[in-house]
């Protein structure tokens, strides 16, 4: 990183990768949808008490085309899985997936005929958050881990 | 609805009847379902104008294995009756009640989805709750909890 004078203006120079990742990780807009009880905790994390906005994640987008992160908050039933897949496919690159709670990580309490045994059966999951349901602090921690991952990894 | 009134109206079809805390249950044969329901719906003293529920029952290892249970309600008289129809596993098929009550459409689809009981004459007998590519019928007692397919 460098600071130079160019004519009358002060110019900050840095690698394009660093700036891209810096802007990506500080404006992680989640996709606004929930599947089960974890969604209630996710809503709570967005509201005033836990206030995810402090970390640049405040704007829950109702359209997948404007979202960066898919927070899979809850049990994915086999009937719901095609809809989740479709939402993921509609999101623009770069995109990340966070599996929130035991059900999204592994099927959780439901090793049954009706439930997908973990989001990673059909989606590339970046962060797994344990808990049943995961508390808002855990979700925020997971999203901060995602920010660290974006910082660490190659630019997408 | 009392058993006496029911016996007067559909007595010839009743195989068994039971009354518990004013809840009346009658058991009938499969072939009697349409005539019995026609009478119960059309008769002035019965006028069961609402099919409030239709569900299946798996009684494994008893025979006959399946049962279809209909719960009727009359909005006019505020009375109820429960009709049970036993079905053999080898021939789990019964006439659809959709011509009498439209409510039967989705209820019978659910019953088919969960137990594999077929309703003849149903306009659209598809699965309603489980995914279309599902194998087996999950509320059957011999259905494995984790599903019959591995995916």
């Amino acid at each position: 990183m460098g600071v130079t004078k160019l004519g009358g203006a002060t110019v900050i120079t840095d690698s394009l990768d660093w700036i891209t990742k810096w802007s990506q990780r500080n404006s992680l807009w989640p996709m606004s949808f929930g599947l089960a009880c974890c969604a209630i905790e996710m809503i709570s994390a967005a509201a005033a008490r836990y206030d995810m906005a402090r970390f640049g994640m405040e704007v829950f987008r109702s359209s997948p085309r404007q979202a960066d992160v898919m927070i899979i908050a809850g049990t994915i039933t086999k009937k719901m899985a095609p809809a989740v897949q479709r939402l993921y496919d509609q999101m623009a690159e770069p995109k990340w997936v966070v599996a929130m709670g035991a059900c999204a990580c592994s099927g959780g309490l439901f090793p049954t005929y009706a439930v997908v045994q973990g989001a990673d059966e059909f989606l590339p999951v970046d962060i797994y958050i344990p808990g049943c349901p995961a508390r808002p602090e855990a979700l925020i921690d997971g999203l901060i881990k995602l920010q660290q991952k974006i910082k660490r990894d190659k630019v997408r | 609805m009392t058993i006496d009134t029911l016996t007067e109206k559909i007595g010839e079809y009743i195989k068994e009847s039971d009354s518990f805390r004013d809840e009346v249950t009658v058991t009938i044969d499969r072939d009697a379902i349409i005539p019995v329901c026609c009478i119960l719906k059309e008769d002035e003293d019965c006028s069961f104008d609402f099919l409030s529920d239709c569900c299946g029952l798996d009684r494994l290892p008893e025979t006959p294995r399946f049962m279809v249970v209909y719960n009727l309600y009359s909005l006019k008289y505020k009375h109820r009756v429960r009709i049970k129809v036993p079905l053999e596993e080898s021939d789990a098929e019964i006439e659809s009640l959709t011509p009498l009550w439209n409510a039967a459409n989705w209820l019978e689809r659910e019953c088919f989805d969960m137990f594999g009981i077929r309703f003849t004459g149903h306009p659209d007998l598809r699965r309603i709750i489980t995914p279309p590519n599902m194998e087996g019928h999950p509320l059957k007692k011999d259905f494995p909890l984790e599903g019959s397919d591995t995916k």
Side-chain angles (χ1 to χ4, degrees):
Chain A
M1 191 166 137
V3 183
T4 49
K5 292 269 181 189
L6 195 69
T10 309
V11 180
I12 300 173
T13 55
D14 211 320
S15 80
L16 186 60
D17 278 13
W18 192 92
I19 288 179
T20 309
K21 292 197 288 186
W22 170 79
S23 52
Q24 281 175 349
R25 72 172 184 269
N26 288 302
S27 63
L28 281 174
W29 291 2
M31 171 77 217
S32 168
F33 86 108
L35 298 170
C37 37
C38 272
I40 307 298
E41 302 294 313
M42 180 177 72
I43 293 160
S44 176
R49 188 177 179 106
Y50 296 96
D51 196 13
M52 280 162 68
R54 293 176 292 161
F55 308 99
M57 309 150 189
E58 74 275 31
V59 201
F60 274 85
R61 303 313 295 192
S62 301
S63 163
R65 304 190 196 283
Q66 299 171 348
D68 306 303
V69 194
M70 176 179 249
I71 301 173
I72 300 175
T75 320
I76 312 163
T77 57
K78 284 185 183 165
K79 190 133 182 178
M80 195 63 183
V84 176
Q85 174 76 56
R86 188 169 179 182
L87 283 175
Y88 178 78
D89 291 344
Q90 286 177 334
M91 284 166 65
E93 295 278 1
K95 53 190 171 186
W96 293 271
V97 178
V98 173
M100 179 186 182
C103 296
C105 291
S106 67
L109 283 174
F110 310 105
T112 71
Y113 64 91
V115 173
V116 179
Q117 301 300 299
D120 50 11
E121 290 207 349
F122 66 106
L123 291 178
V125 177
D126 292 285
I127 299 287
Y128 297 84
I129 304 172
C132 186
R135 285 190 57 85
E137 294 97 322
L139 175 61
I140 291 172
D141 184 55
L143 286 167
I144 291 172
K145 290 256 181 351
L146 178 62
Q147 290 182 327
Q148 290 165 355
K149 183 178 176 171
I150 295 169
K151 190 178 182 182
R152 193 177 65 230
D153 288 359
K154 273 190 167 174
V155 70
R156 282 202 213 171
Chain B
M1 194 93 239
T2 62
I3 289 191
D4 293 341
T5 328
L6 274 178
T7 315
E8 182 195 320
K9 304 290 181 189
I10 55 166
E12 55 182 311
Y13 299 107
I14 295 177
K15 295 288 163 201
E16 262 176 67
S17 62
D18 177 41
S19 180
F20 177 74
R21 297 196 174 181
D22 299 331
E23 288 182 18
V24 177
T25 307
V26 293
T27 307
I28 61 170
D29 273 344
R30 176 173 72 175
D31 299 333
I33 188 69
I34 290 288
V36 163
C37 288
C38 277
I39 295 167
L40 292 179
K41 188 187 177 194
E42 307 297 342
D43 188 272
E44 191 50 38
D45 300 327
C46 300
S47 58
F48 285 102
D49 46 11
F50 178 40
L51 175 68
S52 74
D53 198 11
C54 155
C55 54
L57 199 62
D58 183 357
R59 305 190 297 165
L60 193 74
E62 281 176 48
T63 49
R65 179 174 171 181
F66 296 112
M67 226 177 210
V68 181
V69 184
Y70 300 94
N71 288 282
L72 304 183
Y73 182 63
S74 164
L75 292 163
K76 190 175 173 187
Y77 298 116
K78 318 278 185 217
H79 60 200
R80 292 175 190 275
V81 69
R82 183 181 300 118
I83 303 169
K84 289 184 172 180
V85 186
L87 293 177
E88 294 288 347
E89 183 180 5
S90 56
D91 188 23
E93 207 170 279
I94 188 166
E95 195 74 24
S96 169
L97 289 187
T98 42
L100 289 168
W101 296 284
N102 273 327
N105 189 320
W106 282 17
L107 296 172
E108 287 176 351
R109 275 178 67 186
E110 181 183 355
C111 191
F112 163 72
D113 195 356
M114 293 292 136
F115 295 95
I117 295 166
R118 294 176 306 282
F119 292 85
T120 48
H122 191 286
D124 183 29
L125 196 62
R126 285 178 297 135
R127 287 179 182 276
I128 188 168
I129 294 173
T130 59
N133 58 354
M134 168 110 186
E135 279 175 34
H137 301 279
L139 281 191
K140 279 183 168 179
K141 283 192 177 164
D142 52 3
F143 184 87
L145 176 66
E146 293 177 21
S148 47
D149 53 340
T150 46
K151 279 184 183 172

